Amino acid sequence: MKTIRVLLLALLGLTATFPSAHATTNDLEGLWSAKRWFGPFERGPLVIRRTGSGYTADMLGRQIPMRVENGELVFDLPDKRGTFRGRLDKGLLSGHWFQTQGQYATPAHFTAEGANQWRGVVEPVEDTFTLHLFVRPSQGDTSEAFLNNPEQNYGDFLLGVKRLVSEGDSVKLIGKYPWEKKESVVARGTYDRASQTVTIGFPNRGGSYDFHRDDESSDFYPRGKNPGRYAYQPPTNVGDGWPTGTLEEVGIDRRGIERLVQMLMEARVDSASTARVHGLLIARHGKLVLEEYFHGENRDRLHETRSAAKSAVSVVVGATLRSGKGLALTTPVYQLMNGGSFPRDLEPRKKAMTLEHLLTMSSGWFCDDTNSDAPGNEDKMWDQTDQADFYRYTLGVPMATTPGEKAVYCSCNANLALGMAGRALGESPLYFFDREIAGPMQIRRYGWNLDPAQNLYGGGGIKFLPRDFMKFGQLMLDGGTWRQHRILTPEFVKRASSPLYHLRGRLYGYFWWGIEYPYKDRTVYAYYAAGNGGQSVIVIPELDLVIASYGGNYNANTTFYMQMTVTPRDLLPCIREKGDDPNAPVIPRQDYAPKLGPRDEAGPVTKEVKP
């Protein structure tokens, strides 16, 4: 019958393809991609009306009565799908949307429509998950493969995918979990040859994903498989507070930067461990002069900052100190967080702990983020369910050393420093951040993550637009002002950016890292925000320079590729000083490695380092 069917189709001028009963991995060779969008679905216009002595919210076709809690207007969507909290002051309404899915707070901006109605838009942080499966050619039923996930590095870090096995219409991904010693099957699925679809289940990431063949324009590549020749174009002025200019205007060599961007565009992506740079921005003399994105990222998409957000928390704390609300570097942690008096029978070391100890990671708690046995370890705190309020959780962490004795990297410090700012202000730090920082700096979109008790989380993970996060570096470089708006005192900026402690082989201030870069025949001091995956904002005062980079190298040894390799080797040689020959060729440095100290050095800095 099969022969007759082929003959009939041939007579009709048609071709027929019959699926093989046993597909081999050669059938799966190449790039496959899948992407799912998980919402949140709760988004769109929000209208708030004053009706007599009460207020009503109109959202998603629902009329929802609002309540007043501690001076805030509040309403909840049914089934805990989201909460709005806002304040009405002199006819102006401002507030935030607290999304249940993903636990983020995002700003909601309103326009008054008369005296009794305000119109705004709810824009929650989107939850998307992308997977790229790359299969190399092989013989037989087993092939080398890797799974790339730009949002979290899920395929490499957690699953450790190394191989793909094809058995009939089934496929298996072989990898190694971080806690296992041997490889095992980490995901299973099927291959439908007729529809050219590979379906693989990932129960921890929402179920099954349908993979389809991807082409040379895929975001898997920095800018397509064959990006062509890069030609520099200055950034566009979009009215977000960044003046723009050209490389030549600020003394940066165009040819060297074009070579650098070309290198990033042509970066190899044939393994899971390859550095994946999402964005590179450069500002000098206060002007944004380079803005380039890769792997599908763009100017208008919020990007993860991970622990680099601790540096934004430093700014919030510094602005709170300047506000005169009673917070000082010497403020005792346990006294403020306990309402003004120390808890009864508090041990002396906890009694001696101050805000400055939190800012320098020298609190003394047993809370090392690299030690899974430490009670204050960040992952341990997020995994436990006994205490939803992370401020309370941290206050209960036992002590390991005397405050100020040594610096140990611990996200609990940054989180509680933000909590102290909120207690001193007597309001949610969100309102203060919007009013005193985001407003003057024209930061209108962000996603601030929350702990399970709906407190702002200060340990990292805030999502910003790339241009906006870079503004924190320029703010620091300009001594605490953004375009004539004073936000921090010069004294706080100097202290925050100074090398106060040794930490993980580097220098540390107030949630800002410090390092000495090789430049020409000398070194220049830089301080920077740094986050897992390659998120950074680097400030080099001596060169009047700010560099921002973003990436997807989560939990990989390429996390600091841009900070530790590309910046000193390829970028700094492009920076000209007064008197330099503008026509001199730019040669990448071969002795590019910054000087790092021993990782176990963690005490106060005693040897002078030029900040």
Side-chain angles (χ1 to χ4, degrees):
M1 292 295 293
K2 180 176 178 180
T3 303
I4 295 174
R5 185 181 176 194
V6 171
L7 180 60
L8 287 172
L9 290 170
L11 290 172
L12 291 171
L14 303 173
T15 58
T17 302
F18 297 95
S20 167
H22 297 284
T24 68
T25 53
N26 284 335
D27 296 312
L28 301 172
E29 173 190 339
L31 176 63
W32 302 75
S33 296
K35 186 169 186 173
R36 290 187 61 181
W37 182 76
F38 295 97
F41 296 92
E42 296 73 32
R43 62 179 60 238
L46 168 60
V47 177
I48 293 178
R49 300 185 181 93
R50 180 160 38 203
T51 54
S53 61
Y55 294 85
T56 300
D58 186 321
M59 183 177 175
L60 301 176
R62 293 175 178 269
Q63 301 283 331
I64 306 170
M66 303 187 75
R67 61 187 185 275
V68 178
E69 292 181 355
N70 300 318
E72 291 183 308
L73 295 176
V74 184
F75 78 88
D76 307 299
L77 287 180
D79 302 322
K80 299 181 178 180
R81 291 185 296 160
T83 297
F84 171 80
R85 292 183 173 275
R87 280 182 177 175
L88 188 59
D89 183 24
K90 297 178 181 178
L92 300 177
L93 180 65
S94 62
H96 290 83
W97 181 254
F98 292 77
Q99 64 189 71
T100 304
Q101 183 176 331
Q103 293 286 328
Y104 284 98
T106 51
H109 304 283
F110 290 86
T111 301
E113 298 181 330
N116 297 306
Q117 181 167 299
W118 300 265
R119 183 179 299 273
V121 177
V122 170
E123 295 182 88
V125 173
E126 291 191 338
D127 184 3
T128 60
F129 207 72
T130 309
L131 293 167
H132 299 294
L133 177 63
F134 190 83
V135 184
R136 289 190 173 86
S138 69
Q139 299 295 325
D141 296 331
T142 302
S143 180
E144 183 182 355
F146 67 88
L147 188 66
N148 171 249
N149 165 231
E151 290 91 355
Q152 297 179 7
N153 200 16
Y154 173 79
D156 180 47
F157 172 68
L158 185 62
L159 302 184
V161 173
K162 303 296 182 186
R163 293 179 290 125
L164 180 145
V165 177
S166 173
E167 298 174 346
D169 62 354
S170 70
V171 295
K172 295 184 290 187
L173 296 181
I174 309 298
K176 187 171 76 68
Y177 296 112
W179 56 86
E180 296 288 350
K181 294 183 178 180
K182 297 182 178 180
E183 290 185 349
S184 62
V185 177
V186 295
R188 300 175 184 272
T190 59
Y191 172 48
D192 186 329
R193 187 174 180 183
S195 64
Q196 288 284 285
T197 303
V198 177
T199 302
I200 302 177
F202 300 97
N204 293 331
R205 283 305 313 170
S208 63
Y209 286 70
D210 290 335
F211 290 79
H212 299 280
R213 288 196 177 276
D214 214 339
D215 59 27
E216 294 185 350
S217 64
S218 171
D219 290 340
F220 171 75
Y221 305 103
R223 285 202 187 155
K225 190 174 182 179
N226 300 295
R229 205 71 204 158
Y230 170 71
Y232 168 74
Q233 292 291 329
T236 301
N237 191 323
V238 296
D240 63 350
W242 271 115
T244 58
T246 67
L247 293 169
E248 292 87 349
E249 288 174 357
V250 298
I252 300 179
D253 185 82
R254 178 191 289 237
R255 292 165 300 175
I257 293 298
E258 286 183 334
R259 181 169 58 243
L260 166 57
V261 175
Q262 189 73 43
M263 178 189 74
L264 297 178
M265 289 167 53
E266 296 175 349
R268 293 178 58 187
V269 289
D270 56 358
S271 75
S273 60
T274 303
R276 285 171 168 80
V277 178
H278 286 171
L280 174 61
L281 293 79
I282 300 175
R284 196 177 192 202
H285 305 327
K287 291 183 178 180
L288 184 67
V289 294
L290 183 79
E291 182 181 29
E292 299 294 344
Y293 299 101
F294 313 92
H295 294 287
E297 297 297 327
N298 61 75
R299 180 181 63 210
D300 300 316
R301 183 178 180 183
L302 294 175
H303 199 283
E304 178 69 74
T305 61
R306 293 292 180 97
S307 283
K310 290 180 173 70
S311 300
V313 170
S314 175
V315 171
V316 175
V317 173
T320 304
L321 290 168
R322 179 176 174 269
S323 71
K325 297 293 184 179
L327 186 67
L329 293 172
T330 56
T331 299
V333 174
Y334 282 83
Q335 184 180 48
L336 178 61
M337 297 304 291
N338 194 52
S341 61
F342 287 107
R344 186 175 299 177
D345 301 323
L346 185 69
E347 71 162 286
R349 289 185 297 182
K350 288 189 173 182
K351 204 169 186 178
M353 190 189 304
T354 67
L355 172 63
E356 188 166 36
H357 292 133
L358 301 186
L359 292 171
T360 55
M361 296 284 185
S362 64
S363 62
W365 279 311
F366 187 11
C367 61
D368 188 346
D369 281 354
T370 64
N371 182 355
S372 59
D373 294 328
N377 174 279
E378 185 180 29
D379 291 339
K380 186 182 289 290
M381 180 171 66
W382 278 100
D383 290 341
Q384 59 84 34
T385 56
D386 293 336
Q387 179 55 265
D389 186 329
F390 284 179
Y391 301 151
R392 290 181 179 273
Y393 179 91
T394 302
L395 293 169
V397 171
M399 299 294 287
T401 60
T402 300
E405 181 178 309
K406 61 186 295 188
V408 178
Y409 192 80
C410 170
S411 297
C412 285
N413 287 304
N415 185 50
L416 199 59
L418 181 65
M420 290 184 70
R423 292 295 172 87
L425 292 165
E427 64 177 345
S428 168
L430 268 178
Y431 289 115
F432 181 79
F433 176 73
D434 263 355
R435 183 176 66 247
E436 304 296 334
I437 301 172
M441 294 177 67
Q442 294 178 248
I443 299 174
R444 295 184 58 81
R445 289 180 56 203
Y446 57 85
W448 201 309
N449 49 336
L450 310 167
D451 74 8
Q454 299 286 286
N455 297 313
L456 288 195
Y457 184 62
I462 309 172
K463 295 192 175 186
F464 286 105
L465 295 178
R467 281 188 174 203
D468 285 347
F469 190 56
M470 188 185 191
K471 292 175 181 177
F472 291 103
Q474 191 67 46
L475 170 72
M476 295 287 287
L477 179 60
D478 289 342
T481 63
W482 173 261
R483 310 307 174 204
Q484 288 75 54
H485 292 279
R486 170 65 63 186
I487 293 173
L488 304 172
T489 65
E491 294 76 19
F492 180 84
V493 171
K494 182 177 180 180
R495 185 75 174 161
S497 59
S498 292
L500 305 178
Y501 277 80
H502 296 284
L503 181 59
R504 290 184 172 181
R506 287 169 280 168
L507 302 166
Y508 206 68
Y510 292 165
F511 303 147
W512 289 88
W513 297 89
I515 196 168
E516 292 181 297
Y517 279 128
Y519 175 70
K520 293 185 176 180
D521 57 353
R522 65 186 194 272
T523 61
V524 290
Y525 180 76
Y527 56 91
Y528 61 98
N532 190 358
Q535 327 315 325
S536 73
V537 175
I538 304 169
V539 182
I540 308 179
E542 190 173 336
L543 302 178
D544 199 14
L545 181 68
V546 181
I547 305 163
S549 61
Y550 306 88
N553 312 307
Y554 302 105
N555 301 298
N557 58 10
T558 53
T559 283
F560 300 117
Y561 170 68
M562 291 298 293
Q563 300 100 306
M564 297 299 179
T565 301
V566 172
T567 294
R569 184 190 67 192
D570 303 287
L571 200 157
L572 289 184
C574 299
I575 309 302
R576 308 287 195 190
E577 292 182 289
K578 187 176 181 179
D580 287 346
D581 180 0
N583 298 313
V586 171
I587 302 173
R589 295 184 67 108
Q590 299 306 311
D591 58 334
Y592 60 81
K595 296 179 181 179
L596 299 179
R599 286 184 62 85
D600 58 354
E601 188 177 17
V605 172
T606 55
K607 183 179 179 181
E608 183 179 357
V609 178
K610 182 182 177 182

